[in-house]
Structures are given as structure tokens and as C-alpha cells.
Amino acid sequence: MTKMIQMVKVGIADLKVTKSLEKLRTSGLGSCVGIVIYDEIHKTAGMAHIMLPDSTLARKGDINRFKYADTAIEDLLIELSRSGADTFRLKAKIAGGAQMFHFTPASEMMRIGPRNVEAVKKKLVSLRIPIEAQDVGGQSGRTIEFNPLTSSLHIKTVNKKEMII
Amino acid sequence: MKRHLTGKRLKYKSMTFIDRFSAVQLDVLKEVGNIGAGHAATALSYLLERKIGMFVPSVQLADFDEVVELSGSAEEVVVSVFLKIEGDAPGGMFFILSPPQAESFVRIMTGDASFTIHNPKSMGIGVSALKELGNILAGSYLTALSDLTQLTLYPSVPSLNIDMAGAILSFGLLELSLVSDQGIVIETCLTDPSNETKESVEGHFFLFPDPDSYDTLFKALGVSAYD
């Protein structure tokens, strides 16, 4: 019997956790960063699609924690350990953080892609989660798909061939 | 045993920014889109020497995912001209075309019937033509808005991107994302009246005022900012 592989869609400022038979996918990452954290043995993985680097940027008290790099990664860890992943074995793959627009004078918002990538890396380092692979920066949008069975991250861009990291 | 887990959204309340808007205010924003795009359609019509129609604009309150899917899917490749609006009511504006539509516009403007966006050799002139098109359209949109509100608004140099709609439009949501998880989309579609099929939408305008610009706009248009 073959089992159908399901696709779980992760939206903007969204976060999902899945086990083995479901792939995780998020489309049209520009300056946003897609973060995958996974446990290769338990075939458990989670994906977050963050927009902004730091929850302290929020101008309102109540926030969507999945929108910011720092809080989304914290929540991803909690959700992963709830679904049986071993936190000591977790690894990460990240993609996105492009700089889609260039204007002079450059505003802080223009640099949001690189700032998102820095914030994601900083948070992962502080939690001692190794970054196994990454495809970040540049000037192109990305659509990414993670397969928990193989721990492979497929990355589509408009002008380049699909790559697997 | 298979354990199924999907991420749960934590409870949060950040709807206040959106909840504030009244029906009257949304109607005013619709009128802003209407007048702006009306002028842009006229400009496009002169430029291409053909009739250009216009959809009644829509103003929607939408989740970010819905916003980036308004002109197709988030992954769909679009041709986009983006301008930053500076002055009294800062914000951003996108003019979005499908790749075939952009090619068709460039062919009319340059007289080069073989132009494609996939041919790097002819891209130079095509980029210039598309930027100029975006500049003229956004310029007339903003001039109309500026006349209506008596506010000083000026566009930045246009930026041309051919990429996934999600990657492009999410940039327009960044300022908004600091205060809200939903966007107000002031959308207007340009159409080709000679073509009655559904494919006849020729372009989309998206206006994204920065969060702080709404009060300025409402005040200038004689609508109370809070009601």
C-alpha cells in the first residue's frame, strides 16, 4: 500500500509542525525567512514563516508570536517537543531573507531581509540548534518545501533551477 | 501510531487597528482608489492609444495570506512596478501585471513585436519602458490623490521586479505588519473593454498607506479619524 504524501501549507506569519507523511511548504518568501527545525530520527519537523526580526518591534502589546523570528523559533521548539521530537537532536535549515527592493536612501525596511536572517541565526545559535544548510539573501523570491522523511529542503526561485539543500 | 499535530495559533488580540475603520471610512478609501486609478487609466489610454476600462475598485480587509493571493497565487510570477510614496501620507504602491500583459504593453510602447521578458538582450529597453509605464501610471494616480486631499505626495523612482507575487507584495505589508495582522487593500483593476473574457484584466493597482497615514488621509478628506 502506498501512502499519499500530504502537503501542509504554512502561511505568512504562520507555523506548523508535522510528522513524516506530510511535507511542509511555504510560498513566495521575499524578505521573509522560512525556518525548518527537524528531528531526523523521529521524522518530525516544524516550519515557520517569519516577517520581522524581533518582537520588540511590535507597536502593540498583544502580538502574533509567529510573525517574529525570536518568538516564532521559541514556539516552534515547544510545538516540536510536544509532538515527540528530542530537543537535543534538533537541526535547522533556513531559506529566504532576500532584499527585493533597492532605493536610495535605503531605509531600515529595505534591509529587512538581511536583518531577518541575522535575527534567525542569532536565535538558533542561542538555543544551540545547528544550521545544517541555508539559502539566504540575494534578490529573488523563494518557495520552499521540506520533506521530513529525507530531511531535504527543496527551493524554487524564478530564474534558477530548483535546488535541494 | 501516527500522531498528527498542526501548529496552533496562540491567542492574540491585535485587531484594534483594523476594527477602528468604519463603513464611511472604507467608502472614502474606495473613492481614493477610484479617482486615482481613473486618472491612471486615462494616462494609460493616451500612452497606448487604445481604450482602457476600469473595474469598480474594491477595498478589503484581508489577512496577509489573502493579500498576496489577490493577483493570483503567492508563487505566481508577476511583473511589478513599486513606488514608495513620500510626503504627507507615506506608503507604498504597486502596479502588477501578468508577464504576457507586460510584454504586450512593451510591444505597443516600443514597436518591437518580438519583445519577451525572457530575452535578456531586449530586456534593457523593456525595463525602461515598463518603469516609465509604472512611473506615468503611479504619477497620475498620486497626482489625483494629491489634488483630492491637498496633501503633498511624491513618488520615489520606480523599482521593477519580475518575481513571485508573495515575495513582492509582502514587502508592501511590512509597515502595516508592525501594528496589525490584517491589511487594508485598496485595489483597482484596469481592463481592456474590447476583450470581454475574464482574462481582460490588464493590471492591478495596490495602494498601501503606512499605518500612520490613514488619519492624515481621513482628516484631509473631511472624515473624522475616529468614530
Side-chain angles (χ1 to χ4, degrees), chain A residues 1 9 16 49 56 73 92 105 107 114 117 128 136 154 164-165:
Chain A
M1 191 186 85
K9 193 188 163 193
K16 297 274 168 62
H49 177 148
T56 57
I73 292 172
S107 69
V117 173
R128 296 167 198 273
V136 295
H154 293 242
I164 302 170
I165 61 172

Side-chain angles (χ1 to χ4, degrees), chain A residues 12-108:
Chain A
I12 298 172
D14 191 11
L15 181 157
K16 297 274 168 62
V17 169
T18 178
K19 281 202 89 170
S20 49
L21 287 174
E22 292 172 323
K23 288 186 186 174
L24 291 158
R25 176 189 173 90
T26 195
S27 317
L29 288 166
S31 59
C32 298
V33 177
I35 305 147
V36 180
I37 302 181
Y38 60 98
D39 174 341
E40 320 179 79
I41 305 295
H42 284 125
K43 311 290 183 199
T44 304
M47 181 185 280
H49 177 148
I50 61 109
M51 286 184 93
L52 295 164
D54 196 323
S55 55
T56 57
L57 285 171
R59 282 164 56 182
K60 287 271 158 70
D62 304 309
I63 60 163
N64 172 4
R65 293 175 55 89
F66 299 170
K67 190 157 60 183
Y68 306 92
D70 56 340
T71 44
I73 292 172
E74 285 168 13
D75 289 359
L76 199 48
L77 242 60
I78 293 169
E79 290 289 342
L80 279 166
S81 87
R82 262 188 210 156
S83 55
D86 287 321
T87 43
F88 66 86
R89 203 188 293 117
L90 294 178
K91 291 174 181 171
K93 293 189 178 182
I94 61 174
Q99 187 165 1
M100 302 296 297
F101 297 91
H102 294 266
F103 289 100
T104 42
S107 69
E108 274 299 282

Side-chain angles (χ1 to χ4, degrees), chain B residues 84-111:
Chain B
K84 254 170 62 174
I85 302 168
E86 295 171 49
D88 293 336
M93 170 190 259
F94 293 87
F95 181 55
I96 304 265
L97 296 165
S98 69
Q101 194 62 59
E103 285 171 348
S104 146
F105 282 166
V106 170
R107 285 173 193 157
I108 295 172
M109 286 172 77
T110 61

Side-chain angles (χ1 to χ4, degrees), chain B:
Chain B
M1 187 189 76
K2 183 184 167 229
R3 210 168 139 217
H4 183 115
L5 268 180
T6 52
K8 257 177 279 162
R9 243 166 209 261
L10 300 182
K11 277 192 185 145
Y12 61 92
K13 286 188 296 178
S14 58
M15 301 289 288
T16 42
F17 173 77
I18 292 292
D19 285 346
R20 237 184 57 197
F21 291 91
S22 67
V24 175
Q25 289 175 329
L26 294 179
D27 271 348
V28 166
L29 293 177
K30 198 184 268 189
E31 193 55 20
V32 162
N34 196 5
I35 290 174
H39 280 69
T42 309
L44 184 62
S45 181
Y46 276 118
L47 189 69
L48 302 178
E49 296 178 334
R50 61 194 269 210
K51 276 193 181 164
I52 298 290
M54 198 182 80
F55 261 50
V56 176
S58 73
V59 172
Q60 305 175 44
L61 303 179
D63 289 339
F64 291 163
D65 285 315
E66 293 168 340
V67 173
V68 300
E69 283 173 0
L70 280 173
S71 63
S73 76
E75 204 181 333
E76 193 173 312
V77 176
V78 295
V79 176
S80 133
V81 179
F82 173 71
L83 298 107
K84 254 170 62 174
I85 302 168
E86 295 171 49
D88 293 336
M93 170 190 259
F94 293 87
F95 181 55
I96 304 265
L97 296 165
S98 69
Q101 194 62 59
E103 285 171 348
S104 146
F105 282 166
V106 170
R107 285 173 193 157
I108 295 172
M109 286 172 77
T110 61
D112 176 3
S114 64
F115 172 80
T116 81
I117 59 168
H118 304 293
N119 179 0
K121 268 187 193 163
S122 64
M123 234 358 234
I125 189 105
V127 168
S128 305
L130 283 172
K131 278 190 181 174
E132 191 50 28
L133 180 74
N135 218 359
I136 290 168
L137 295 188
S140 50
Y141 190 117
L142 281 187
T143 305
L145 188 51
S146 185
D147 286 349
L148 180 73
T149 56
Q150 299 294 308
L151 295 171
T152 307
L153 302 170
Y154 47 95
S156 69
V157 174
S159 165
L160 181 79
N161 283 62
I162 302 171
D163 212 313
M164 298 174 192
I168 289 171
L169 282 171
S170 60
F171 184 79
L173 295 170
L174 285 176
E175 290 286 347
L176 205 56
S177 73
L178 295 173
V179 297
S180 173
D181 286 300
Q182 284 191 307
I184 295 179
V185 189
I186 307 171
E187 182 195 19
T188 326
C189 303
L190 296 180
T191 59
D192 178 354
S194 66
N195 184 348
E196 308 228 325
T197 64
K198 215 176 138 203
E199 318 314 317
S200 71
V201 171
E202 307 211 321
H204 293 259
F205 282 103
F206 294 103
L207 180 66
F208 295 109
D210 286 355
D212 294 335
S213 297
Y214 285 98
D215 286 352
T216 314
L217 283 172
F218 290 139
K219 210 171 153 195
L221 291 164
V223 186
S224 70
Y226 298 90
D227 62 359

